[in-house]
Amino acid sequence: MNLFKIIDDLQQIDGEAIDRLEHASRRSFISNLGKLGTKAAAVAAPIAVASVFNKATAQSAMAVEVLKFALTLEYLEAEFYTMGLNRSGLIPANRRDMFDQIRKHEVAHVKLLEGALGLTANQNKPNFNFSAAGIDPFASYENFVFLAHAFEDLGVRAYKGQAGNLINDDAILETALRIHSVEARHAAVVRRELSDLRNDPNIKAWITNAEGSPAPIYAGEDNTTHAGVNIMGIAGKSKEAVTEAFDEPLTKEAVLAIAGPFIVM
Amino acid sequence: MSIIKNPFNNPDSPDNQIISRVGRRFFLRSAGLTAVTGAFILGACQDHDMEPDATVDLGSGDIGILNYAYALEQLEAAFYTQVIDMAYSGMTAEERRMLTDIRDHEIIHREFLKAALGTSAIPGLEVNFSSINFNDRASVLGTARVLEDTGVAAYNGAGKYLQDVQFLLVAGKIVSVEARHAAAIRDLLQPRSRYFAGDDVVDANGLDVAKEPAMILADAQPFIETRITANNLPK
């Protein structure tokens, strides 16, 4: 499976496609994420993207939008963990390996997605304000772990919400799924750390009902209907167990509404 | 399985009542033996009639992929049921809570898939846990890690074969919970280290494992007595 196949295909079709893709993706990126993006830019960007793919498939154009969206979240996570690990005395010595492993993965995801989109290093990276939620994550270890768990749970929901948009792009779908489960591993261990720090056994590696803070990240996690089957009470299990057994997706719009305040252009 | 099931064919006959009691005792004794042998007959109390030598065909298309998931969830649910029923000595309260949660999640996955598949569902599978020492923490948690990592790799590799976007979403909803399980089990084995998402499962590109169904079934076969064919699954 090769995430770069889409770019290879394009190059065979049109040698200038990559240059135009880079230009288009930057404009689209700004219109999607910059709160300052004008309506005109928001309309123009999809047209620019479409022109890049005028000889390629519609599915590929959709996949590029998914990759750009994913890259934004990976930039956020990569910078967050890099800053946390660089802040002297913030992360206890016996927790640095755990967070360095997470940082390593987020940096790898950034590189992978930049490569797939034909971007140079940090080409689309916005500036971030990690204190936008009113909590300075670098002021205390607990703050840092709290924001980390929020970003990871949000990331899991974000990737899940895009799976359907990749159903006709097998290679990219599989790559996205392989990132998605890594984010879920991150979420699980960070939640366990938060549980210990707060001495709160109700914070588990998995999400119970729609419990959690910030609330918008957990909204809808208490859904019990999947593929048209309502499983409330299945096998005599509690609602807690039934909702823990399934993670829920979030739309791109919902994710950007949550992540937006952390992004300062 | 036939030894246990046949006596119940005519429970009103006096002879069969005796045989029935023998059958029940045989079953209970067999189940009791699991402490020593680890062997456990999963399908013994279920409705499906199945020849001992019958090969189960997962089927084709989305149904085949869902049956593939159903087979793996049956395996996981049976494993954790036995883990809790025969808790290893020294199991901490936290470990019991976690493993009970995971058992319930896997049972819910299994029953959900059975309900979603309806009449297309494969029968209950016979499992073989003879290689596992359920009284030994390392054996239990080591097996749990393998099963969870395998589940993640299975869903990651199978998603691309699903045609129905609703089923793809469901697979996504389940796989991240399997990944949470995998990380939590790994965190029990090597607390707060790199191991929860170790370099043995996450590659240099930050990607988790994805495996094709044929590979997964070969990995799982030591735990499954029933022969399964995936020949008709999408490739």
Side-chain angles (χ1 to χ4, degrees):
Chain A
M1 290 304 157
N2 183 358
L3 189 61
F4 298 91
K5 184 173 177 301
I6 182 175
I7 302 299
D8 294 342
D9 289 349
L10 278 169
Q11 278 176 316
Q12 283 168 18
I13 296 165
D14 180 350
E16 291 174 359
I18 302 305
D19 290 342
R20 286 190 278 140
L21 172 59
E22 286 180 17
H23 178 68
S25 67
R26 170 159 284 271
R27 289 180 63 186
S28 174
F29 171 78
I30 290 166
S31 67
N32 279 339
L33 298 174
K35 296 280 174 182
L36 307 173
T38 64
K39 204 166 189 177
V43 171
I47 295 168
V49 171
S51 72
V52 170
F53 289 97
N54 57 1
K55 291 175 186 172
T57 64
Q59 285 76 26
S60 296
M62 200 188 295
V64 167
E65 289 302 310
V66 172
L67 296 181
K68 288 190 300 183
F69 169 55
L71 177 57
T72 304
L73 297 177
E74 299 291 354
Y75 276 134
L76 177 124
E77 290 181 315
E79 183 154 305
F80 174 74
Y81 292 110
T82 301
M83 286 180 70
L85 285 157
N86 285 342
R87 186 65 62 98
S88 163
L90 178 67
I91 299 173
N94 61 0
R95 296 295 187 266
R96 288 187 67 84
D97 276 358
M98 177 178 106
F99 281 108
D100 187 60
Q101 189 75 353
I102 298 178
R103 179 205 56 79
K104 185 171 84 178
H105 296 156
E106 310 300 10
V107 169
H109 296 162
V110 166
K111 282 184 182 157
L112 187 73
L113 294 167
E114 283 180 337
L117 289 165
L119 302 173
T120 56
N122 289 334
Q123 187 177 334
N124 270 2
K125 192 183 82 60
N127 294 314
F128 296 106
N129 171 15
F130 292 110
S131 298
I135 298 164
D136 178 359
F138 308 117
S140 78
Y141 180 57
E142 186 180 328
N143 284 2
F144 179 75
V145 173
F146 171 76
L147 209 56
H149 105 289
F151 286 153
E152 296 297 343
D153 279 334
L154 180 65
V156 174
R157 298 194 71 173
Y159 275 96
K160 203 187 316 296
Q162 295 304 308
N165 288 333
L166 300 174
I167 196 162
N168 293 315
D169 286 287
D170 285 355
I172 297 175
L173 171 62
E174 184 161 294
T175 302
L177 286 172
R178 294 173 68 187
I179 297 176
H180 170 246
S181 62
V182 171
E183 302 293 344
R185 287 177 188 266
H186 295 171
V189 79
V190 175
R191 290 175 64 90
R192 283 174 58 76
E193 180 71 351
L194 186 65
S195 171
D196 284 359
L197 284 174
R198 294 189 170 175
N199 197 20
D200 181 356
N202 291 324
I203 301 174
K204 304 174 180 179
W206 25 90
I207 298 163
T208 310
N209 293 322
E211 292 167 14
S213 170
I217 293 181
Y218 301 95
E221 282 281 2
D222 54 351
N223 173 43
T224 60
T225 299
H226 312 287
V229 182
N230 189 338
I231 57 165
M232 180 70 103
I234 198 165
K237 299 302 179 190
S238 66
K239 188 182 181 193
E240 286 75 15
V242 164
T243 56
E244 286 168 1
F246 290 79
D247 279 342
E248 295 296 317
L250 270 184
T251 64
K252 180 176 172 177
E253 291 68 32
V255 171
L256 291 178
I258 295 165
F262 294 98
I263 300 166
V264 288
M265 295 306 296
Chain B
M1 200 175 293
S2 58
I3 294 169
I4 297 155
K5 289 189 70 73
N6 289 343
F8 297 99
N9 283 348
N10 183 0
D12 295 327
S13 136
D15 284 348
N16 276 350
Q17 284 176 6
I18 293 165
I19 297 167
S20 170
R21 280 197 294 275
V22 173
R24 283 180 194 278
R25 282 160 83 186
F26 177 82
F27 171 72
L28 292 173
R29 200 157 53 88
S30 300
L33 279 174
T34 56
V36 181
T37 68
F40 184 76
I41 299 169
L42 176 66
C45 298
Q46 299 191 353
D47 292 335
H48 299 286
D49 275 314
M50 204 171 59
E51 292 300 317
D53 294 336
T55 297
V56 169
D57 187 342
L58 296 176
S60 61
D62 282 8
I63 294 295
I65 296 296
L66 293 184
N67 265 325
Y68 166 57
Y70 179 43
L72 295 175
E73 299 292 352
Q74 286 190 46
L75 177 61
E76 289 185 312
F79 169 74
Y80 288 106
T81 296
Q82 198 155 336
V83 166
I84 296 303
D85 287 352
M86 312 169 63
Y88 53 79
S89 51
M91 186 182 280
T92 66
E94 190 213 3
E95 287 170 356
R96 181 182 288 278
R97 267 198 309 276
M98 263 184 60
L99 293 166
T100 303
D101 276 2
I102 297 176
R103 177 200 64 184
D104 288 349
H105 302 163
E106 307 298 8
I107 288 173
I108 290 162
H109 292 164
R110 182 191 69 197
E111 294 305 309
F112 161 75
L113 287 163
K114 187 179 180 184
L117 281 158
T119 55
S120 301
I122 57 169
L125 301 175
E126 212 176 305
V127 297
N128 178 353
F129 295 143
S130 57
S131 62
I132 304 160
N133 179 356
F134 282 92
N135 196 36
D136 179 59
R137 180 180 185 271
S139 178
V140 167
L141 295 184
T143 305
R145 179 190 67 73
V146 170
L147 287 177
E148 297 298 344
D149 286 338
T150 300
V152 171
Y155 281 101
N156 280 350
K160 62 182 177 290
Y161 295 128
L162 289 167
Q163 301 295 315
D164 184 322
V165 74
Q166 267 206 312
F167 292 149
L168 174 59
L169 178 58
V170 163
K173 292 180 181 199
I174 294 176
V175 66
S176 56
V177 174
E178 302 292 349
R180 290 174 189 269
H181 293 167
I185 296 287
R186 282 169 166 266
D187 191 48
L188 283 182
L189 288 165
Q190 295 182 30
R192 306 302 137 87
S193 67
R194 296 179 185 272
Y195 193 59
F196 71 96
D199 295 349
D200 58 325
V201 281
V202 181
D203 70 16
N205 287 318
L207 302 179
D208 212 324
V209 179
K211 282 188 181 175
E212 294 299 303
M215 266 181 87
I216 294 288
L217 289 171
D219 289 350
Q221 199 62 64
F223 298 119
I224 303 176
E225 202 70 33
T226 313
R227 269 182 289 171
I228 296 174
T229 173
N231 288 342
N232 297 313
L233 287 189
K235 287 183 187 72

